[in-house]
Amino acid sequence: MVVPESQGKMYHPPLELHRDAHVPDFSSYLVMYKRSLENPEAFWKEVADEFFWKKPATSPMLQYNFDVTKGNIFVKCMEGAKTNICYNVLDRHVREGNLGEKVAYYWEGNLPEHHTTITYGQLLSHSCRCANVLKQMGVKKGDRVSIYLPMIPELVYTVLACARIGAVHSVVFAGFSSESLCERIMDAKSSVLVTADGVYRGDKLINLKEISDEALEKCVEKGASSVARCLVIKHQALRTKTGASCNRLQTPWDSERDVWWDEAMSDSSEECEPEWLDAEDPLFILYTSGSTGKPKGVVHTVAGYLLYTFLTFKYVFDYQHHDVYWCTADIGWITGHSYIIYGPLANGATSVLFEGIPVHPHVGRFWEIIERYKVTKFYTAPTAIRLLMKYGQEPLQKYDLSSLRILGTVGEPINPEAWQWFYEVVGQSMCPVVDTFWQTETGGHVLTPLPAATPLKPGSATFPFFGVEPTILNEHGEEVEGEAEGYLVFRKPWPGIMRTVYENHERFENTYFKKFPGFYVTGDGGRRDKDGYFWITGRIDDMLNVSGHLLSTAEVEAALTLHPAVSEAAVVSRPHTVKGESLYCFVSLKDCKEFDKKMADELKRLVREKIGPIATPDFIQNAPALPKTRSGKIMRRILRQIARNEKDLGDLSTLADPKVVEVLFSQRSEATA
Ligand code: WTA
């Protein structure tokens, strides 16, 4: 790698950013990067020195095997050390850093009039009290706690409370259906569920407790009865919401199992000695879609995740102590875990915690929040940018966005048009855009610009973070040098990479390591250009990225075929101007069943119920037959082209019955959107 020469349009960091930046220019990045690969021991040791260790490590900073042919895959960071991540992100700041009075979160509710401030001192005391409540409910080190909550401060308290007592948190995004919640509770065998009575998302009232109850009933029906207690938060903002709409919410109650948060917290002590955990003890499970349809419980461990989220946050957002940082993700996803909770708190940062949606109660909501809190670093998703672009510049012009210094995106490739709008309109051409590529599995950013150091090319996640060694392989597993395109893989671990799939190490090895022994396979295609910049070319497995959420086609197909009239279903991606990709579903019905709008609506409802609103099909098309090879494999390439109305289908000779394609094209216009 060399300092990139300007080839095509590049965007250089503004001069004033260089001055105080942790990595002030590209040559400094190169020096540090080289050192992180050549001497990882010293590099990571220095990072670990920032933190408190009850017992030091007794082995090297990183040990691993990435080659399935040589034995089990494993990654270990700082084996032998004992620590507690909650202590490191809270007590350490309050006790040693004097940050007790510093704001940890500005919480902003669904409506602008609902907001509150939480200092580091308060965060510590609430988390300790919640930890004591969980202990009282019988939660012990190693037990799993499922958390199904909206973006409220109690969600952060609960996550940190688990971390404090060594319980493994499993946060389930509160947009998931009762079926998905049940599946995740059962897989983790959680003993406690933490939820809320309900939440407003925009105008819509969602009865979370009712969904939770349904999920718990389903668990029992399926023979699992692991959840003994359910802790329920009475969501303040709901109670203060004006009159009638609030009364609509009936909270079902099981007095044997359910406990109100307020009551339990009121006599709970704020003193809670942290549980000193092994560096490699699990910290959390977070489920992500798997290409077979069943979600995978990605497991992250204490020490490595702490080091990695700390360091990526510090460098990628060039964290300075006066910053007000805002990540718009939900804590139900990895971005929220790493870059709303652990990374910012490990640095002692002040963040905005936002419960609402970008367009409620008006389309300038994001800009209003940036002005209100004088946000300096703003991290969001391309899908949100594309949505807000549609409203033009006017909503922004009403607000003062001059506090902004650095912008960031995550979750999906950003199209150049959205990048340009983010950079020029939101950032006034003065704020670098860090396009961060990473995954639930990677724990933190792996390909990313550093804001004061990396000349930017719109749409490229640019270069590897410290300690990360990407490469590109061809179909035969051979590394391709220079300008090339193929499978994006990593040659060695960094501290924050996942350790296993919960209780299914074999699936972990098969998914990420079997295809190319010696490498972690991301499942994404990658391209390296002539300047060495990396570009993500999209998933190469049967995964879809809808509004930055990964969904597996198999998962949606499985939901569709649960309908008694459906004999077969195939789901493909179709480009969407706001969501990036959308779901186009082909369904074959059983004999004598009629396909009509009612049927399509039923199918959409079914998918919503089984997975959640994020998986709602955008199009459903009747498919009397699906295009298959002679061996019976569905040719998804052809379905994708039909969905996109691309008539030039190329070679159809492998199809068992090419006439199927004509029929599908002729019925295309009847697809129900
Ligand atoms: C995609 C989200 C292009 C990619 C943190 C990856 C991206 C998947 C980017 C992981 C980016 C994420 N550019 N594609 N900057 N960031 N992706 O697990 O396909 O929800 O594999 O983690 O999102 O999604 P996940």
Side-chain angles (χ1 to χ4, degrees), residues 65-100:
N65 172 40
F66 257 24
D67 189 342
V68 272
T69 64
K70 294 190 177 144
N72 286 347
I73 300 294
F74 71 89
V75 178
K76 289 178 185 168
C77 175
M78 299 186 71
E79 225 195 355
K82 276 196 181 288
T83 191
N84 182 286
I85 197 166
C86 177
Y87 182 92
N88 272 301
V89 305
L90 295 182
D91 309 51
R92 189 175 57 95
H93 296 311
V94 174
R95 291 189 189 170
E96 298 160 27
N98 236 342
L99 296 189

Side-chain angles (χ1 to χ4, degrees), residues 103-123:
V103 174
Y105 293 106
Y106 290 114
W107 179 75
E108 166 100 2
N110 183 54
L111 288 176
E113 55 266 36
H114 294 152
H115 50 89
T116 171
T117 296
I118 301 134
T119 64
Y120 271 87
Q122 289 166 333
L123 190 53

Side-chain angles (χ1 to χ4, degrees), residues 20-172:
D20 303 316
H22 299 298
V23 185
D25 48 46
F26 199 74
S27 11
S28 310
Y29 159 72
L30 288 178
V31 170
M32 286 173 76
Y33 179 68
K34 192 158 172 273
R35 177 163 175 263
S36 74
L37 291 192
E38 287 173 358
N39 195 351
E41 186 64 24
F43 184 88
W44 292 111
K45 177 86 183 49
E46 229 165 74
V47 182
D49 285 345
E50 302 265 345
F51 296 103
F52 175 79
W53 305 93
K54 189 80 177 170
K55 242 183 84 187
T58 48
S59 0
M61 290 302 291
L62 269 175
Q63 296 168 282
Y64 70 100
N65 172 40
F66 257 24
D67 189 342
V68 272
T69 64
K70 294 190 177 144
N72 286 347
I73 300 294
F74 71 89
V75 178
K76 289 178 185 168
C77 175
M78 299 186 71
E79 225 195 355
K82 276 196 181 288
T83 191
N84 182 286
I85 197 166
C86 177
Y87 182 92
N88 272 301
V89 305
L90 295 182
D91 309 51
R92 189 175 57 95
H93 296 311
V94 174
R95 291 189 189 170
E96 298 160 27
N98 236 342
L99 296 189
E101 301 295 309
K102 183 170 180 182
V103 174
Y105 293 106
Y106 290 114
W107 179 75
E108 166 100 2
N110 183 54
L111 288 176
E113 55 266 36
H114 294 152
H115 50 89
T116 171
T117 296
I118 301 134
T119 64
Y120 271 87
Q122 289 166 333
L123 190 53
L124 174 60
S125 95
H126 289 306
S127 302
C128 286
R129 285 166 66 198
C130 177
N132 285 324
V133 169
L134 292 176
K135 283 212 275 194
Q136 275 243 305
M137 295 177 126
V139 179
K140 294 182 300 300
K141 176 186 165 191
D143 290 350
R144 276 80 51 216
V145 172
S146 288
I147 304 173
Y148 186 67
L149 285 176
M151 289 285 284
I152 53 178
E154 289 86 345
L155 169 51
V156 182
Y157 308 155
T158 311
V159 162
L160 294 172
C162 289
R164 191 164 192 92
I165 62 173
V168 178
H169 55 78
S170 168
V171 181
V172 179

Side-chain angles (χ1 to χ4, degrees), residues 66 73 437 439-443 446 469 471 473 487-494 497-498 508 511-513 516-523 539:
F66 257 24
I73 300 294
F437 166 82
Q439 307 176 300
T440 306
E441 293 87 339
T442 67
V446 281
E469 213 180 334
T471 185
L473 304 183
Y487 293 86
L488 174 68
V489 301
F490 296 104
R491 199 195 303 275
K492 52 161 88 142
W494 51 93
I497 190 175
M498 75 184 285
F508 171 61
T511 312
Y512 305 103
F513 296 94
F516 300 122
F519 299 96
Y520 165 86
V521 180
T522 57
R539 299 290 308 182

Side-chain angles (χ1 to χ4, degrees), residues 207-281:
N207 192 331
L208 293 173
K209 178 63 166 61
E210 204 169 88
I211 301 172
S212 298
D213 279 13
E214 270 171 35
L216 294 181
E217 269 160 38
K218 283 182 181 143
C219 291
V220 175
E221 275 163 29
K222 291 180 186 180
S225 54
S226 60
V227 168
R229 309 307 294 273
C230 180
L231 184 60
V232 188
I233 291 151
K234 210 174 271 171
H235 184 8
Q236 287 291 338
L238 272 185
R239 283 188 283 170
T240 52
K241 167 112 187 155
T242 45
S245 51
C246 181
N247 296 332
R248 289 211 315 265
L249 195 69
Q250 297 281 326
T251 308
W253 204 253
D254 172 345
S255 52
E256 301 262 299
R257 185 196 61 200
D258 301 340
V259 182
W260 281 116
W261 166 281
D262 280 358
E263 289 170 16
M265 288 285 276
S266 66
D267 47 61
S268 174
S269 157
E270 359 179 295
E271 294 297 321
C272 176
E273 174 66 12
E275 183 82 34
W276 299 108
L277 301 175
D278 288 332
E280 279 300 323
D281 274 338

